[in-house]
Amino acid sequence: MRAHDRHRNDALPAAATQHRGRSALRGRKRASIGVVGGGIGGLAAALSLLRGDFDVHVYEQASALGEVGAGVQISPNASRILHRLGLAEELARAGVRPLAWHQRRWENGRTLLRTPLGEPLEAAFGFPHYQIHRADLLAALAGAVPGERVHLAHRLVDLRDHGDRVEARFANGVRAHFDVLVGADGIHSQVRRILFGPERPRFTGCVAYRGLIPTERLRELELEVTAQVWMGPGRHFVHYFVRSCRLVNFVAVVEQETWRRESWTDRGEVAAALAAFEGWHPQVRSILGAVDETFIWALFDRAPLERWSAGRVTLLGDACHAMLPFMGQGAAQAIEDGATLTACLAEAGTDIAESLRHYERLRISRTSRLQAQSADNKTRFHLHDGPEQRQRDAEMTAGSTDWSFRAAAWIYEHDAAIVGKEKASHGP
Ligand code: FAD
């Protein structure tokens, strides 16, 4: 039985899930922590906190844990944490360790930069880079969190900070009390809205077609085990293997002025995706043409927040630092958040609000910098052919951009569980 099925079957009746957090830090007992949201960020945080001996419960609005059918890159700064949480075996089994980032020109496939991701990366940073199906990562996390601690079909609608505890209110009538409440409820975060007021996410001017293709269907392409990024005018195309190389995952990003549909994601037309990549290298078009179905996503982000916490309530993941996926760091930063939060709470005296302030001080500059770099990459990936594009390509070939292995060190070497004041990492 898959982990998320187990949780679904174990879903407790509403009354049974009602529990009061003990006074915990108030009397130096185990602090009780409610995590709102059972995505990658919420489950990784819950696991970190459980390993830190906190009394943790996760509340997910959906009736089953699940992820979209797509891949995700897990860089060493995140795999360092996942390995420590005991997931090395699952990652090795379900994930793929790519040899390199291979950045190429859109029409002729010329190599602009090959950044090693295999042995040299692991030797430099101590942990591997993985490419993994999101459902496999979520199942690994869910399998490590005891089922009785995950409460499905619990949509948080309101909260009250009573000073000595915080009360979470759910749409099904359940109320629960904790020492700390964590909003890991994604880009539409209700917890964020309650803390800091309504604010709509920004449409970034990009949409993404995503799809998965059985590798055997693409055998003739003889794809190498790398993450390939094809850059062209107003768009880019990324593909890499997941699920032990049995599936090829692609993300095809296209600039678009507006997004008028109500939904942020929709079934996309393969023909429309192919039309958007007309004239591109045959490898790109072969991959797009081989997919049975594709989904189209409007890409939104948010401006960095000055605060993530108020009293006993804080945020993590996309709830507080949603970013364009062009640094492959959204989920990785959510995983880092959970490790830093755990370390800050473990160090806590009796002042929980101050511990949460410490947590956000350590995190905000780093995630804000990644939000900005992710947005910058939209421009740099999508340059139209001309002088600026030629300069970019020359810099990439010379290894003098922040896509080089050396320049990314500030991202990969960071250990989010070390929370001494001097350790806040936001790069050079
Ligand atoms: P979510 O995954 O959105 O989870 C939030 C959870 O909270 C959901 O389960 C939701 O149902 C639940 N929830 C919401 N509201 C409530 C409520 N009121 N009550 C209870 N539950 C609630 N990141 C990387 O690190 N590497 C990559 O390669 C990468 N590629 C990407 C490619 C694309 C095309 C996109 C769009 C993103 C990519 N990202 C990547 C970013 C990454 O997917 C996100 O940053 C990450 O999934 C955010 O996780 P989260 O747990 O914070 O939020």
Side-chain angles (χ1 to χ4, degrees):
M1 185 186 298
R2 292 175 68 86
H4 58 267
D5 293 336
R6 179 161 54 79
H7 285 136
R8 186 174 54 221
N9 294 338
D10 288 354
L12 301 172
T17 65
Q18 201 155 8
H19 53 273
R20 283 186 76 86
R22 284 175 293 281
S23 54
L25 292 193
R26 294 195 297 277
R28 302 303 299 164
K29 294 184 203 140
R30 285 198 316 158
S32 62
I33 301 177
V35 176
V36 181
I40 292 169
L43 289 182
L47 192 53
S48 275
L49 290 160
L50 282 167
R51 298 277 195 266
D53 203 29
F54 292 98
D55 176 16
V56 186
H57 287 264
V58 179
Y59 297 84
E60 165 58 43
Q61 65 182 359
S63 54
L65 296 177
E67 257 289 353
V68 297
V72 64
Q73 311 245 9
I74 295 297
S75 49
N77 48 313
S79 65
R80 170 179 290 119
I81 297 162
L82 297 175
H83 276 214
R84 283 187 194 142
L85 293 176
L87 302 184
E89 219 173 282
E90 276 93 338
L91 291 174
R93 190 174 39 75
V96 173
R97 295 184 185 197
L99 298 172
W101 273 108
H102 187 184
Q103 289 177 295
R104 311 179 71 173
R105 255 184 77 70
W106 64 282
E107 86 300 21
N108 61 14
R110 181 163 66 82
T111 296
L112 301 173
L113 182 62
R114 267 182 85 98
T115 309
L117 288 178
E119 293 297 327
L121 187 89
E122 201 169 331
F125 302 111
F127 295 86
H129 184 103
Y130 293 102
Q131 295 162 344
I132 188 165
H133 194 300
R134 283 165 182 267
D136 294 342
L137 175 57
L138 200 81
L141 288 164
V145 176
E148 69 275 12
R149 292 190 172 268
V150 180
H151 309 281
L152 301 172
H154 278 64
R155 181 167 62 85
L156 181 118
V157 288
D158 205 359
L159 62 88
R160 295 272 190 282
D161 192 336
H162 296 292
D164 62 340
R165 71 207 147 86
V166 57
E167 176 187 343
R169 298 179 177 184
F170 298 92
N172 57 9
V174 170
R175 293 183 181 194
H177 298 254
F178 305 97
D179 294 306
V180 180
L181 190 72
V182 181
D185 47 346
I187 191 167
H188 305 284
S189 174
Q190 172 72 351
V191 177
R192 172 184 174 134
R193 197 188 64 74
I194 295 168
L195 293 188
F196 302 117
E199 183 212 333
R200 291 174 71 82
R202 306 179 294 203
F203 177 55
T204 58
C206 291
V207 298
Y209 294 90
R210 298 165 100 177
L212 291 166
I213 301 155
T215 302
E216 61 189 26
R217 222 180 263 179
L218 299 170
R219 194 174 301 138
E220 281 181 9
L221 295 178
E222 297 180 351
L223 295 174
E224 50 175 20
V225 185
T226 56
Q228 299 197 22
V229 185
W230 300 73
M231 298 186 294
R235 57 210 66 205
H236 74 276
F237 187 87
V238 180
H239 62 87
Y240 53 81
F241 289 105
V242 295
R243 205 159 270 175
S244 311
C245 289
R246 282 180 281 123
L247 291 173
V248 173
N249 172 76
F250 75 79
V251 185
V253 176
V254 180
E255 287 184 16
Q256 181 173 304
E257 276 180 17
T258 52
W259 178 259
R260 289 197 192 84
R261 302 177 218 204
E262 272 184 30
S263 159
W264 291 16
T265 175
D266 211 342
R267 202 169 288 271
E269 295 292 332
V270 176
L274 272 169
F277 287 83
E278 186 68 49
W280 281 53
H281 190 276
Q283 182 168 310
V284 170
R285 292 186 57 76
S286 299
I287 294 172
L288 269 177
V291 74
D292 288 327
E293 63 171 1
T294 174
F295 287 83
I296 184 167
W297 293 70
L299 299 183
F300 285 77
D301 72 357
R302 287 182 182 272
L305 281 171
E306 282 176 18
R307 300 280 310 265
W308 290 0
S309 313
R312 291 173 173 269
V313 186
T314 195
L315 300 170
L316 67 77
D318 277 9
C320 49
H321 51 66
M323 58 185 81
L324 271 170
F326 304 164
M327 294 286 290
Q329 282 294 313
Q333 292 306 305
I335 292 166
E336 282 192 9
D337 290 340
T340 301
L341 178 66
T342 302
C344 287
L345 287 170
E347 277 198 339
T350 50
D351 190 344
I352 287 182
E354 179 44 36
S355 301
L356 298 183
R357 290 285 288 143
H358 186 202
Y359 155 68
E360 71 181 30
R361 277 197 300 272
L362 290 168
R363 297 297 302 154
I364 287 178
S365 54
R366 179 169 169 83
T367 56
S368 301
R369 182 172 179 199
L370 284 163
Q371 284 176 288
Q373 284 199 353
S374 301
D376 287 350
N377 275 353
K378 175 186 164 189
T379 311
R380 292 191 293 173
F381 281 9
H382 296 177
L383 288 176
H384 286 254
D385 288 354
E388 279 186 281
Q389 162 265 327
R390 284 195 290 277
Q391 187 184 340
R392 175 200 68 191
D393 292 357
E395 285 173 8
M396 289 180 79
T397 310
S400 60
T401 70
D402 58 8
W403 289 317
S404 71
F405 187 97
R406 183 171 27 86
W410 74 275
I411 304 172
Y412 298 155
E413 70 192 5
H414 180 62
D415 187 337
I418 298 176
V419 300
K421 285 190 177 57
E422 73 288 354
K423 190 62 195 173
S425 164
H426 37 76

